[in-house]
Amino acid sequence: MTTAFVLGGGGVLGAVEVGMLRALLQRGIVPDLVLGTSVGALNGAMVARQPDVGVVERLTSLWAATAESREVYGDRPLRTVRRVVSTGTHIYSATPLRRRLEEELGDARFEDLPVHLEVCAASIERAAEHWFTSGPLVPAILASAAVPGLLPPAEVDGEHFLDGGLVNSIPVGRAVELGATRVFVLQVGRIDRPLKPPTRPWEVARVSFEVARRHRFMRDMATIPDGVEVHVLPAAGTSARDDSLWAHRDFRGVQERIDATYAASRAYLDERLGRS
């Protein structure tokens, strides 16, 4: 049996994936393969580097520190306006995120990891899905998490990338292609909430993205071959409030989301796989 963890994108909601990882690793479920998109690339890199329950504490501390410092999306409004005017492409600098990743991952490379990791990003020049599978981790994660309009496109080896969620937000199909026979999908809960037609200009892009992302995921789920076991773990502690214009800055309740999702995922695993 080849076990894959698929970690989807979702910005600040990515904290719920820590609760899912805790439930899985405490149960002794360890991945042979990890695939991550956007914030899932960060969480995925951490677990691929340390595929045991000890990584949960490190991830929890990382999310708590990010919530407390608010450095990733914490610029003052005037500074963000100046950046938009000067660049024309993004609101926030990628420097705080890069600094945080370098503190956690240093110069680690894909080749150094005990578990095979792949990270998804969207190539601008090729208008294509791109999978990072070798080289340094930090540039790949920055490319995968380059949210359009919020962060600048990331340049890696002369090519420019945007957030992997544009092309494959929850890459369950990729896991199957790579030979996974048991897949655990760690998603942030948005696929569970009904979509409504946008009523404001800034909602149009969000709803459009959600339509595309959910269509890709549901299409992949519908084509899972016989013999492949897929578990979509439940997210808890998220709501429609998390879809608002400024939700990307809202790190409130990180620990509560982790704890609630841990409880929900543990209950799911007990029900589907039997009590451990």
Side-chain angles (χ1 to χ4, degrees):
M1 178 181 294
T2 300
T3 298
F5 287 3
V6 173
L7 296 95
V12 298
L13 297 183
V16 305
E17 295 176 351
V18 181
M20 296 172 182
L21 288 170
R22 180 185 173 195
L24 289 165
L25 295 170
Q26 279 188 350
R27 196 181 177 92
I29 300 173
V30 178
D32 303 297
L33 169 68
V34 176
L35 297 105
T37 294
S38 197
V39 71
L42 168 58
N43 291 335
M46 295 286 284
V47 75
R49 187 178 63 163
Q50 184 182 354
D52 60 57
V53 74
V55 75
V56 174
E57 183 176 349
R58 297 191 65 177
L59 276 167
T60 301
S61 298
L62 172 61
W63 276 94
T66 302
E68 183 176 350
S69 67
R70 297 177 60 84
E71 62 178 339
V72 176
Y73 293 139
D75 277 352
R76 295 178 178 178
L78 182 57
R79 184 175 296 175
T80 62
V81 171
R82 288 174 176 168
R83 186 173 292 113
V84 170
V85 171
S86 63
T87 68
T89 59
H90 58 278
I91 298 175
Y92 302 107
S93 168
T95 300
L97 178 58
R98 179 184 296 106
R99 184 164 52 239
R100 177 68 69 180
L101 290 173
E102 289 172 345
E103 289 172 357
E104 287 294 329
L105 299 169
D107 58 358
R109 300 175 64 85
F110 284 83
E111 297 88 343
D112 302 329
L113 302 175
V115 175
H116 183 76
L117 170 71
E118 298 198 359
V119 167
C120 181
S123 167
I124 293 177
E125 284 86 354
R126 291 182 288 116
E129 181 177 318
H130 177 84
W131 286 92
F132 288 94
T133 61
S134 63
L137 291 176
V138 170
I141 296 170
L142 284 171
S144 185
V147 183
L150 294 184
L151 294 172
E155 183 176 355
V156 182
D157 296 332
E159 189 170 2
H160 298 84
F161 298 92
L162 288 172
D163 194 297
L166 293 171
V167 288
N168 203 341
S169 185
I170 310 173
V172 63
R174 177 74 173 185
V176 175
E177 290 174 9
L178 293 174
T181 54
R182 183 173 65 163
V183 181
F184 291 94
V185 178
L186 289 71
Q187 51 83 35
V188 302
R190 286 201 174 109
I191 60 173
D192 302 325
R193 291 199 293 276
L195 284 176
K196 297 180 180 179
T199 59
R200 295 176 176 84
W202 56 84
E203 293 179 350
V204 174
R206 179 187 64 80
V207 172
S208 299
F209 174 78
E210 281 298 320
V211 169
R213 136 191 173 108
R214 297 183 193 193
H215 171 75
R216 173 67 185 266
F217 176 64
M218 296 309 295
R219 186 185 67 185
D220 284 352
M221 289 293 289
T223 58
I224 298 295
D226 293 339
V228 176
E229 177 185 337
V230 179
H231 297 277
V232 181
L233 299 183
T238 68
S239 68
R241 184 191 72 184
D242 301 309
D243 300 327
S244 69
L245 181 61
W246 297 107
H248 64 275
R249 294 170 57 95
D250 187 1
F251 283 85
R252 293 174 297 176
V254 163
Q255 188 61 55
E256 289 80 358
R257 284 175 172 164
I258 292 173
D259 293 342
T261 298
Y262 164 70
S265 295
R266 181 174 178 177
Y268 171 92
L269 293 172
D270 285 347
E271 178 184 350
R272 298 300 179 91
L273 304 181
R275 293 188 178 275
S276 58

